[in-house]
Amino acid sequence: MQYRNFGRTGWKVSEVSFGAWQLGGQWGAVDDEESIAALLSAYEQGINFVDTAELYGAGHSEEVIGESLRRWNSDKIYVATKTQPIQWPSPDLDDPQMRGRYPAWYLREQVEASLRRLGVERLDLLQLHCWLRAGIDELDWLETLNALRVEGKIDKIGVSIRDYRPDEGIQLAELGLVDSIQVIFNLFEQRPVNGLFPAAAKTDTAIIDRVAFDSGSLSGLWTADTYDSWEEGSQQKEMFRGERFTETLARVEALKKITSPYYSTLAEAAIKYVLSSPEVSTVIAGMSSSRNIARNVGYSDGEPFPDELRSQLSERGWIRNYYQ
C-alpha cells in the first residue's frame, strides 16, 4: 500500500480507502459481522482511511465501523464521516442558499450522534455532505465547526461537493477554508483536473475522490444480465434504470477496448487513472469481501499511468448525473 499526504493536515493516508456506503444496506442486504470482518481485513492490508456518513443506513454504517475500531488494536485508522443538511437543495438549482442548511444546534446534534455511533471522543474528519457555493459568504456553518474543533469534538473539516458539479469547489479550494474536498472523479467524469485540482494544489487542500468505479460500471464486471440480478429498491437498480444501464454498458465496453492493451482489467485502469493525479490524497473504493479488498489494495503499486492511454481517455469523458 502506498501512502499520501492528506493535504496540509500532516496525516499520511492510504491512497486507496474503504468506502462504507454499502455497510448501511442501501446497496443490498448486508451481514454486520461480515462487514466488520471486511473492515478488519482492510486495516490489516494497510488501508487506514474509511469514508462513511450519517446518511448511510441512517447511521448504521457508522455503528459498524465503530465496532470494527473497538476490535482493532494496531495503527491509527482515520474515519471521515458526513452530516447531511436539514434540507437538500434541488439538484437542478445552480446556486441554492447555504445559510440555514446547517444551523448550529443541528450540527452539534449530528456531531454528538456520530461520536456516539462511532464510539470515539473526537471525529477525525467531519464533512458537510452537501457543499454549496453560497457557503463562501454565508459562513455560519464554519463558525460552528470551528467552535467544535476548539471543544475537541472534531479534528479536521471537509466538504463533499454536489454530484457532478466539481467547479462549485474551486473558490473554496482557492481560499483554503477547509482541510479536504470530496469530489466525483473517474474515467467518465474528468472535469476536476481542469479547475478544482489546480485550485486545491495552491492551498494544499486534500482531495478525496469518490465514485471511482462509477457506482460499479467501471469495475468492468457488468454483463447484459447484471441489471436483472440487482435487488429491487437497491441504489444501483434505481440509478441505472431504463436506458441508463444499456447506454452505460456500451460505453464501458468501449473503454475496455482502449485500456486492455495496458491493464488486465478495467477496474485497475479506473483506479490508477484517478491515482495518477497527484492532487488526489485518497480514492474511495467500495469493498465487501476479502477478494475485493485484496484486488483494490493491489492497485496501489506506485506505477506511473501511461501518457498515451491518458490521451486516448481524454476523449471519453461523459457528463451526466444518474443520482437524479
Side-chain angles (χ1 to χ4, degrees):
M1 174 62 70
Q2 305 292 308
Y3 295 85
R4 298 189 177 195
N5 293 327
F6 193 72
R8 57 183 181 273
T9 65
W11 298 355
K12 286 282 188 180
V13 300
S14 53
E15 63 180 18
V16 175
S17 52
F18 194 107
W21 190 355
Q22 77 279 3
L23 305 188
Q26 288 145 304
W27 292 84
V30 290
D31 179 280
D32 289 347
E33 282 300 318
E34 291 180 0
S35 296
I36 293 166
L39 284 161
L40 293 174
S41 176
Y43 305 159
E44 290 167 358
Q45 295 182 59
I47 290 175
N48 71 351
F49 192 92
V50 180
D51 179 82
T52 185
E54 180 274 333
L55 182 66
Y56 303 164
H60 189 63
S61 174
E62 290 179 323
E63 292 171 342
V64 172
I65 292 166
E67 180 58 29
S68 77
L69 296 177
R70 283 186 284 275
R71 300 186 193 184
W72 178 250
N73 58 5
S74 189
D75 297 335
K76 168 70 179 177
I77 304 298
Y78 296 97
V79 178
T81 193
K82 311 182 201 73
T83 182
Q84 60 184 313
I86 283 183
Q87 182 179 44
W88 289 86
S90 167
D92 298 324
L93 285 178
D94 288 335
D95 286 299
Q97 71 178 37
M98 183 75 158
R99 189 173 297 281
R101 296 190 190 275
Y102 297 99
W105 65 267
Y106 174 74
L107 279 175
R108 288 184 172 278
E109 282 188 0
Q110 291 290 94
V111 166
E112 292 295 340
S114 288
L115 288 169
R116 183 174 62 254
R117 288 189 290 262
L118 288 166
V120 297
E121 296 183 356
R122 182 174 68 174
L123 301 178
D124 295 319
L125 174 63
L126 179 69
Q127 306 163 91
L128 300 185
H129 210 155
C130 174
W131 166 253
L132 303 170
R133 280 185 294 203
I136 292 294
D137 300 308
E138 301 164 2
L139 290 167
D140 55 323
W141 61 274
L142 187 57
E143 293 173 2
T144 304
L145 293 182
N146 278 332
L148 286 164
R149 290 183 73 177
V150 171
E151 295 166 22
K153 298 294 181 68
I154 62 176
D155 189 358
K156 308 300 179 188
I157 299 170
V159 305
S160 183
I161 297 177
R162 288 197 293 169
D163 300 326
Y164 301 99
R165 288 177 176 266
D167 289 353
E168 290 190 340
I170 292 176
Q171 189 177 12
L172 179 66
E174 289 175 339
L175 293 173
L177 291 182
V178 295
D179 298 296
S180 68
I181 293 176
Q182 185 174 141
V183 66
I184 294 176
F185 173 53
N186 57 44
L187 290 172
F188 288 139
E189 174 53 284
Q190 303 179 17
R191 292 175 296 171
V193 300
N194 299 322
L196 180 61
F197 288 1
K202 291 177 182 177
T203 54
D204 202 9
T205 299
I207 293 292
I208 302 172
D209 173 63
R210 72 176 187 271
V211 198
F213 290 135
D214 188 51
S215 300
S217 77
L218 294 174
S219 68
L221 301 177
W222 283 11
T223 68
D225 299 322
T226 297
Y227 185 83
D228 291 333
S229 71
W230 291 331
E231 292 182 23
E232 290 297 331
S234 63
Q235 181 72 23
Q236 61 267 52
K237 193 119 187 182
E238 170 63 18
M239 285 179 63
F240 295 102
R241 63 188 183 274
E243 296 300 316
R244 293 178 173 187
F245 179 83
T246 303
E247 182 177 6
T248 304
L249 182 58
R251 289 177 180 267
V252 164
E253 291 302 317
L255 283 176
K256 283 183 179 180
K257 292 178 181 178
I258 296 172
T259 60
S260 60
Y262 303 89
Y263 296 107
S264 59
T265 66
L266 182 60
E268 182 176 10
I271 288 289
K272 290 189 173 181
Y273 171 78
V274 171
L275 291 175
S276 69
S277 288
E279 299 85 359
V280 173
S281 293
T282 188
V283 52
I284 299 169
M287 310 182 205
S288 57
S289 67
S290 297
R291 182 178 180 181
N292 295 148
I293 296 164
R295 179 196 66 189
N296 291 329
V297 169
Y299 298 151
S300 173
D301 58 14
E303 292 296 319
F305 195 82
D307 289 335
E308 62 274 19
L309 177 56
R310 188 194 313 278
S311 178
Q312 295 178 63
L313 291 171
S314 66
E315 302 175 359
R316 296 289 174 169
W318 182 28
I319 301 171
R320 89 284 197 219
N321 186 358
Y322 280 1
Y323 288 101
Q324 294 176 293

